Amino acid sequence: MTSGTDAAARKVILFSDRAGYTSSAPQTGGGFNDEAAKHVGETATITDRVDGVHQSGKGNIFLNMEGKYPNQAFTAFIPSSSAGQFSQPQQYEGRTVSVSGKITLYHGKPEIIVNSPSQISAK
């Protein structure tokens, strides 16, 4: 890397709490969902309480934050191909977790795809 401003090297850390939203980036309003969506394509760490955990019939695991499905503001998505590495995903429900990875959008909502337990740390 030759530049400290290289977008690929930039790591954004986003935090959400029930009293409001704080971020390392300037806040312009709109809440957690809108702010995280501004960082699509960037590597980030999202820290929040998991309000709901769901494992689909296909084996995908969803850790929903800032609300339960379908009203969640953010999802940590664990694809079925990685789900075997998470023997007890229900352990995250109600706990504050930090999820690291690239922010993407799925149906207009931000998410991080989690392929390894090392991407999640529970508080």
Side-chain angles (χ1 to χ4, degrees), residues 7-119:
R10 188 170 160 219
K11 183 171 184 177
V12 177
I13 301 176
L14 305 171
F15 296 94
S16 174
D17 63 31
R18 299 301 161 175
Y21 176 81
T22 58
S23 168
S24 60
Q27 183 178 354
T28 58
F32 185 66
N33 186 26
D34 292 341
E35 191 64 33
K38 291 178 188 175
H39 297 281
V40 169
E42 296 180 32
T43 298
T45 298
I46 302 293
T47 300
D48 199 0
R49 187 180 73 215
V50 175
D51 291 325
V53 176
H54 173 72
Q55 187 157 11
S56 73
K58 293 182 179 181
N60 298 313
I61 300 169
F62 303 84
L63 306 180
N64 296 312
M65 301 176 186
E66 286 284 314
K68 293 188 177 192
Y69 178 83
N71 299 312
Q72 79 281 6
F74 189 86
T75 300
F77 172 71
I78 304 168
S80 60
S81 59
S82 300
Q85 299 177 63
F86 297 86
S87 60
Q88 297 179 359
Q90 293 296 332
Q91 71 175 314
Y92 298 117
E93 187 150 3
R95 296 180 72 187
T96 297
V97 300
S98 293
V99 181
S100 299
K102 186 176 179 179
I103 297 176
T104 61
L105 284 182
Y106 182 76
H107 290 282
K109 292 190 178 188
E111 70 176 20
I112 289 178
I113 298 173
V114 177
N115 293 302
S116 166
S118 66
Q119 289 179 258

